[in-house]
Each structure stands twice: as C-alpha cells, then as structure tokens.
Amino acid sequence: MRIISPSILSADFGNLERDITMLDRSQAAWIHCDVMDGVFVPNISFGFPVIKPVRKATSKVLDVHLMIADPIRYVKRFVEAGADYVTFHLEAADDAGACIDAIRSAGAKVGISIKPKTDVSALNEWLPKVDLVLVMSVEPGFGGQSFIDGSLERIAAIRKAADDCGAQCLIEVDGGISTANAAEVFGAGADVLVAGSAIFGAADPEAEIVKMVEAR
Ligand code: DX5
Ligand code: ZN
C-alpha cells in the first residue's frame, strides 16, 4: 500500500480551510494531525477546536498523532472530534493495553508510535493488537527536521516482526520525508508516509503528493 498523509502542522493556519480543500482534492488518502501538549514534547500545537472543523471540511481519513502525556485521558474526545485513527506514544502510556482498548471501544482504529531511540522490540507484544505502527524518523515535536539515519533499518525490522507474527497492522513513517527518500522508505516496508514541510513548502503541493505516491 502507498498512502500519503500530509501533516497539517506545516499548513497555513490562517488559511486552513483553503489548505484542507487542496488536500481533499489531492491524491493524499489521509490527513495527519499532530497534537502536542508541551509536556511529552517541547512544543504545543493544536487540539479539538482545530480537528473538528478539519473533519467537517474533508472526507479523507483523519490520522491523529497524539504527542501527549498520559494519552488515555483524551482518546475518546479525539474520536468524538472526528479521528479515524488515534495514535499514541508507547513511551507516554502507563498501560498501553488499556489505551488500545479505550481507542477501540470509542470507535476508532488504533495506532501506536515509538520515538527514534526506543528499541523496536518494545513493539512486539502490541503488533497483533493495533491497526497502525507509527515509526518516528525524527525526534517528535517539530516539522522540518532531517530524516535520521538508521530509520530504514528500524522500519524493515518492524515489517519483519509484523510479518513473522501475522500482524495486519500498517506501518507509517513520520519525519523528514520528501520526494528524495519516499521510494526507499516505501521500499523498507512502509505503507503510509507522513510529510509536512516537503508538501506545504512545495510550489505545487498537489503535484508533490503525486510525486511521493509514484516515487520509484
Ligand atoms: C513531528 C511530527 C511530524 C511533522 C513532520 O513531531 O510528528 O508529523 O509534522 O514534519 P516534516 O515532514 O516537516 O518532517
Ligand atoms: Zn506526526
């Protein structure tokens, strides 16, 4: 599968409806919403008041990436705000199993994410229980950073672990993705690529999305 999930962290929030309308007609199948609390990561982004109108403005899959401490407190509200996938960080959850159950019982698909320094083997027990694994290829918190060397090997290792246990989860990669590396990230085993600055910084964002989908 080759899905592009543009991150609206790099959108123009003064013209958000315009940018969502552009994504809605683009070849991106998903829209990625980065929620940051200033505690789990050293930055604050946006929450429910932004996600609700985005939901109203598009029929694309809303891919909500929670970079917040103790995520179980808020997962139900993100589902109510319109998230199709709610992804939490393994490092932020006291009880990942309970968080998975809370997202699923609220009616959304479940994603689990790890930061670049977390051992990929920490995911093994969760692979059969989630719909999505989000592999961070930069330290979470900011757009516009460079793809960390060694991320391709991590993606391949997670792909192998998922295949070995028969897990059906999609693998999503987030951070430093552009047309320059999209082909090799897909090649390493990713199904979904998040890209923020590479898409919104392009002269023609819709054309950039097509180039990523078709990258060889
Ligand atoms: C970083 C966020 C990313 C970010 C990616 O913490 O999770 O989704 O928007 O931005 P780029 O594509 O610019 O690296
Ligand atoms: Zn993200």
Side-chain angles (χ1 to χ4, degrees), residues 151-163:
S151 300
L152 292 176
E153 290 74 14
R154 289 166 59 79
I155 297 158
I158 295 166
R159 176 90 271 165
K160 183 174 185 312
D163 291 347

Side-chain angles (χ1 to χ4, degrees), residues 3 10 32 34 69 73 78 96-97 105 115 118-119 133-134 139 144 151 160 167-168 178 184 195-196 213:
I3 293 170
S10 294
H32 187 84
D34 285 306
R73 296 174 296 162
F78 282 104
S105 61
K115 299 199 283 185
T118 299
D119 200 298
V133 172
L134 171 50
E139 284 298 333
S151 300
K160 183 174 185 312
Q168 297 297 308
S178 70
E184 54 185 357
V213 174

Side-chain angles (χ1 to χ4, degrees), residues 7 9 32-36 63-67 89 113 134 136 140-141 172-175 194:
S7 168
L9 190 62
H32 187 84
C33 300
D34 285 306
V35 177
M36 304 180 186
D63 166 31
V64 175
H65 177 194
L66 300 182
M67 287 161 274
H89 269 268
S113 184
L134 171 50
M136 289 305 304
E172 180 176 39
V173 181
D174 185 2
V194 177

Side-chain angles (χ1 to χ4, degrees), residues 86-169:
V86 175
T87 297
F88 69 95
H89 269 268
L90 182 58
E91 304 90 351
D94 289 337
D95 184 342
C99 204
I100 290 169
D101 292 345
I103 296 168
R104 215 177 277 300
S105 61
K109 294 201 170 164
V110 179
I112 193 165
S113 184
I114 56 169
K115 299 199 283 185
K117 291 186 183 119
T118 299
D119 200 298
V120 295
S121 66
L123 288 170
N124 288 350
E125 67 175 302
W126 308 112
L127 294 174
K129 301 188 173 104
V130 299
D131 303 293
L132 179 73
V133 172
L134 171 50
V135 186
M136 289 305 304
S137 42
V138 298
E139 284 298 333
F142 301 90
Q145 304 179 75
S146 300
F147 188 85
I148 295 174
D149 282 344
S151 300
L152 292 176
E153 290 74 14
R154 289 166 59 79
I155 297 158
I158 295 166
R159 176 90 271 165
K160 183 174 185 312
D163 291 347
D164 287 351
C165 72
Q168 297 297 308
C169 55

